[in-house]
């Protein structure tokens, strides 16, 4: 009944505009990253929305380096009507600079508070006002070449110690341990920083650090970062740091699919195109699967995050129409269709019970396990969702200095602790759901 009311509200909005009489078509623009998965999403979103009301036209532009291009354009007073960022921590500076509009009135008018989980809307708050809608509920998992594992008698590890022992076996077999690299996206670095903090220091210690109860120099964080640094120094990430910084996503996935590499720690967003690198699509006989990233204790832990946010450009000439697009885009029906057709992680909205019926069971299992982890207090935090903006940038930029032996792990964590303390004191930190 709730979904019917939401769709009815959408229809009434469009009907009100249409009944106002003949008018010029209003175009709303949205920029999306290029790639096959993005093309699938763009086609579904644009075709579906544009079939509803001829008075409003949605134009989705596939844009390379989407976030960099968006940020530059918006700061210059231009850019798309709908501003998408890589995560909630990127929204703060834009909101404080007046580059995006507060959305509270639209949330009330268009029923967003009924569509979204309450905690998800809280992630879009800046100084108590709603500035963004979170998209793509996601987690990091460990993909592996299932065919390669079977051929070598390898078993997916459950603990961090088992992962290290397996990595030594994989290395001895002449196979790259992890198909990692950051040439396409430098913030790739933060995936591993945040994940190792959760899996080794533990989600409760991360929560304590995020809320100022313990410092980032806590011994549990030191252990986590020393383990990560050890793996990089041993060449397990993409063959070594010099290869890591030149490996592209396509290089990484091709190595995983061909069996040149064994594993890959990446997000559930990769469901969108991982099949392009396995089986008939890639002219090989290999199959992929996934497990949770091994933890220190062996407990299945999942970091939670948002892959994107959507806001309305303060320079938009059509904020009302942009809000209509967001209402359509974030409707449970559209989110379910994008999940089934394109492998897109759903927004944190109330999906129907049968939303995952027609999707790959490996994908369905991931979202089911993530949901269970949230219910069972087995969740951690992704850096781009829960860290304040300057600390987030520090995390992925300065870790490279550790890997190049320019600073120690302790110096890295001391720098993070100092910067984080400043942002925490200033209140420049995303809302942290209480445990």
């Amino acid at each position: 009944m709730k979904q019917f009311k939401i769709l009815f509200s959408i229809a009434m909005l469009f009907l009100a505009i249409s009944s106002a009489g003949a008018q010029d078509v209003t175009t709303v623009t949205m920029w999306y990253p290029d790639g096959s998965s993005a093309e699938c999403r763009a086609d579904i979103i644009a075709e579906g929305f544009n079939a509803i009301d001829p008075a409003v036209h949605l134009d989705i532009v596939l844009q390379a380096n989407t976030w960099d291009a968006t940020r530059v354009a918006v700061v210059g007073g231009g850019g798309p009507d709908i501003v998408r960022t890589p995560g909630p921590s990127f929204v703060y500076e834009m909101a404080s600079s007046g580059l995006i509009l507060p959305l509270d009135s639209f949330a009330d008018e268009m029923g967003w508070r009924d569509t979204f989980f309450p905690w998800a809307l809280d992630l879009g708050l800046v100084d108590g006002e709603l500035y963004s809608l979170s998209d793509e509920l996601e987690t990091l998992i460990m993909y592996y070449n299932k065919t390669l594992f079977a051929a070598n008698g390898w078993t997916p590890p459950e603990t961090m110690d088992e992962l290290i022992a397996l990595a030594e076996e994989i290395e001895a077999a002449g196979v790259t341990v992890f198909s990692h690299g950051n040439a396409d996206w430098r913030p790739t670095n933060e995936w591993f920083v945040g994940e190792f903090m959760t899996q080794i220091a533990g989600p409760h210690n991360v929560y304590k650090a995020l809320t100022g109860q313990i410092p980032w120099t806590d011994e549990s964080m030191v252990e986590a970062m020393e383990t990560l640094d050890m793996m990089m120094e041993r060449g397990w990430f993409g063959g070594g740091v010099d290869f890591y910084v030149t490996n592209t996503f396509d290089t990484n996935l091709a190595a995983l699919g061909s069996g040149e590499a064994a594993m890959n720690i990446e997000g559930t967003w990769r469901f969108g195109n991982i099949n392009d690198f396995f089986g008939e699509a890639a002219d090989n006989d290999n199959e992929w699967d996934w497990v949770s990233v091994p933890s220190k204790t062996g407990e299945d832990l999942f970091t939670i995050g948002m892959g994107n946010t959507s806001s309305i450009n303060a320079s938009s000439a059509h904020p009302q129409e942009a809000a209509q697009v967001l209402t359509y885009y974030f409707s449970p029906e559209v989110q379910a269709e994008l999940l089934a057709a394109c492998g897109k992680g759903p927004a944190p909205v109330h999906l129907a019970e049968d939303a995952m019926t027609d999707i790959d069971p490996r994908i369905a299992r991931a979202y089911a396990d993530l949901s269970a982890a949230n219910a069972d207090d087995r969740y951690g935090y992704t850096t781009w969702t829960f860290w304040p903006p300057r600390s987030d940038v520090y995390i992925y930029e300065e870790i490279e200095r550790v890997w190049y032996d320019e600073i120690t792990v302790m110096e890295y964590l001391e720098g993070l602790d100092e910067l984080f303390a400043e942002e925490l004191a200033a209140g420049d930190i995303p809302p942290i759901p209480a445990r």
Side-chain angles (χ1 to χ4, degrees), residues 247-259:
N247 288 344
T248 66
F249 287 139
D250 282 350
T251 300
N252 301 337
L253 293 165
L256 182 66
S258 68

Side-chain angles (χ1 to χ4, degrees), residues 87-169:
S89 67
F90 292 83
V91 173
Y92 281 76
E93 291 182 274
M94 301 193 80
S96 61
S97 300
L99 299 174
I100 52 179
L101 296 176
L103 303 175
D104 295 274
S105 61
F106 295 123
D108 294 333
E109 176 187 353
M110 300 191 178
W112 295 348
R113 301 190 195 283
D114 292 327
T115 302
F116 283 84
F117 298 127
W119 62 263
L121 282 184
D122 287 348
L123 289 178
L125 296 177
V126 178
D127 295 332
E129 289 190 280
L130 180 66
Y131 278 91
S132 67
L133 300 178
S134 296
D135 193 8
E136 294 195 56
L137 180 61
E138 60 194 12
T139 189
L140 287 154
I141 56 179
M142 193 169 77
Y143 297 90
Y144 66 99
N145 188 312
K146 186 175 181 179
T147 306
L148 177 69
F149 267 57
N152 287 276
W154 297 331
T155 301
E158 296 181 2
T159 69
M160 190 60 65
D161 285 344
E162 289 176 0
L163 175 60
I164 292 171
L166 175 61
E168 292 174 342
E169 287 188 47

